[in-house]
Amino acid sequence: MTALPSLAPAELDTARLPGERIELSGQPFKLDCGAELASIRVSYRTYGSLNAARSNAILVCHALTGDQYAADSHPVTGKAGWWHLMIGPGKPLDTNRYFVISSNILGGCMGTTGPVEIDPATGRAFGLNFPVITIGDMVRVQARLLDHLGIEQLFCVVGGSMGGMQALEWAARFPERVFSAIPIATAARHSAQNIAFHEVGRQAIMADPDWQQGDYLARGTRPTRGLAVARMAAHVTYLSEAALHRKFGRSLQDRSKVTYGFDADFQVESYLRHQGITFVDRFDANSYLYITRAMDYFDLAGACGGVLARAFQGVPTRFCVLSFSSDWLFPTSESRDLVRALSAVGANVSFCEIATDRGHDAFLLDVPEFHRVFAGFLAGAAAARGLT
Amino acid sequence: MAAFDRALPEPALIAQASSRGPAATTAGSPLRPDLQLIADLVAPNTRVLDVGCSDGALLAYLASTKNVDARGIELSQEGVKECVSRGLAVVQGDAESDLHLYPDGAFDYVVLSQTIQAMQRPRELLQEMLRIGRHCIVSFTNYAHWRARWHLLRGRMPRSRCAGEAWYSTPNIRPCTLEDFELLCAELNVVIERRLCLATGGMISRLASRRWFDNLLSEQALFVLSQRQGQAARRA
């Protein structure tokens, strides 16, 4: 078998990344697992400007492998921000009207405190000494960031996939701070199937000898092959059978017939390998372990005796739940469960399933219907909030 | 939908468009006349759920002119997209499976306009509507209208003039008459707060004393219903 190449570790000095970075210290930050972090660094970007009333702030929450570079180009890959189609002047998240905040999550690897950062207690990278975190922890860090920015209430909190989990957590935990929320292609709990896929990814990383029981940073290796395989497996779940077929079918890669070997004969193999190889340049393997775990633990109903509706009792937030018809990772049925719970407590909720064959990743792609509904909801919410 | 075929001279004032077709879509344009009748029945500053709200014309009108907290349920993705892009709180779903999720008395009005005849279980739907709304507004086409009877006398099923669909393809699987509906109301022991009978040309007839006459002349019927006090209290 032609294995994936073991790349040289790309050392990234997160302190020198473009964008803003603050240190939240003072009182220690207590995590759901019981551990405490003495201080937390948060790297973030903002787009547009905050109005005088401080009422036009929108928090954009990123997904598993996203980061704060939502609208501007990525410092490592040079590619356009992951939501550049959505954020900018005249776009659905119109920076002429709104103040858009995008921060790297707790546990991330682009400057916010996470396993790749230096543990002040030891002077070495946290690695596996980093405490296990939850979606709730991520959201409380974001709340501290908003305190720092002097923003009492968000006009909107939006996100797809794990970003949608954060949006839901925000509305459930800080209802008075969230005027509206747009959870996209997400769920109120991580399904058994999704936990299973995450476990495959984690096992791929841990099976790589270069992972070194999580201590690879100190030992000068990087589990790039394991991380690449994790990414490849996950990437398949972000697409749909129809999209894969449309894009690649059974087309061969730079050859006219199969080679009777294990090279990437098929274009789809070549594509996946490329996805895996490029991913390791910008992502940390331990971060991947911690963030997937946080998603696995997410279950909003869990804290409410299994009754999801109770999580939203009395929540004044206006919700717009969106799903994609071909998303099998976070299928529409999950969104419907969420909408039912919101309806049961009389919450102000809109819900639309967008017809597309582009799978879970549709929220990142140019899907005009999605953008139109998104912008329409936001415009309605802006009118209700008195934003001009 | 409305008006049986064999052409009235001019489109009737009432219900020119099918319940599945677009109503007034642009803000400021006049509301479809049957929807306007419903809108006029709704008190300002109330909570309204429009079941099968189509493109949200009624909800948008109520929200903008009567400061109503307007919610909707709509099956078609097209309709929902239209509603949400207009800033309306509308959920894509099936009224027959989803209404039970709402708490008792969640709304001041629950509206079912030109939709009941397309439901699988209209009786159960009506009961759910009465549970979650203080008032229910139901409008439908009266299949006992003389023109429909004429069709049957000639040996053919009545066809709506606008939808114009044949018996094998029409979504209207549960056609009923004004009298049928009143009997159902009696069976469910609900209060008929108001009954509007709409004859050809949109005139509102008030022939309440002679039900068989209303049944013959009304092309459309519009009812405002509520639960009997005792029933609501028992539930509470």
Side-chain angles (χ1 to χ4, degrees), chain A residues 318 320 322 336 339-340 343-355 369 372-373 375-377 379-381, chain B residues 47 69-72 77-78 80-82 84-94 97-98 100-103 106:
Chain A
R318 298 164 73 101
C320 181
L322 298 174
R336 280 197 197 284
V339 170
R340 291 199 177 105
S343 298
V345 291
N348 186 313
V349 55
S350 292
F351 162 63
C352 189
E353 178 191 52
I354 309 288
E369 295 287 81
R372 190 167 75 89
V373 174
F377 170 79
Chain B
R47 287 167 61 93
D69 182 352
R71 313 282 180 90
Q77 191 195 299
E78 274 312 306
V80 177
K81 271 191 321 207
E82 189 62 38
V84 178
S85 358
R86 300 164 81 156
L88 295 168
V90 170
V91 162
Q92 189 173 6
D94 183 350
S97 58
D98 290 353
H100 76 272
L101 302 162
Y102 293 91

Side-chain angles (χ1 to χ4, degrees), chain B residues 4-6 143 145-160 164-169 175:
Chain B
F4 302 104
D5 78 347
R6 283 305 247 179
Y143 278 76
H145 183 249
W146 64 267
R147 206 176 275 112
R149 299 185 193 205
W150 173 239
H151 275 274
L152 281 169
L153 272 179
R154 289 191 309 158
R156 298 290 306 275
M157 281 297 285
R159 283 165 75 160
S160 94
E165 283 163 285
W167 63 271
Y168 48 79
S169 59

Side-chain angles (χ1 to χ4, degrees), chain A residues 230-300:
Chain A
R231 174 63 169 179
M232 288 167 73
H235 197 80
V236 177
T237 69
Y238 304 152
L239 308 173
S240 71
E241 200 278 333
L244 279 173
H245 180 77
R246 177 166 43 76
K247 218 166 169 178
F248 307 108
R250 291 181 50 83
S251 305
L252 300 178
Q253 179 70 30
D254 303 329
R255 61 202 69 187
S256 55
K257 52 184 194 274
V258 297
T259 61
Y260 296 99
F262 295 103
D263 273 352
D265 274 356
F266 294 98
Q267 281 183 7
V268 66
E269 293 173 290
S270 173
Y271 167 79
L272 271 188
R273 289 182 187 191
H274 174 78
Q275 291 296 327
I277 289 165
T278 52
F279 180 61
V280 301
D281 289 340
R282 66 176 182 89
F283 216 84
D284 174 62
N286 283 337
S287 256
Y288 197 88
L289 301 182
Y290 279 93
I291 299 171
T292 54
R293 205 67 182 140
M295 289 179 76
D296 292 351
Y297 284 164
F298 185 64
D299 180 10
L300 266 185

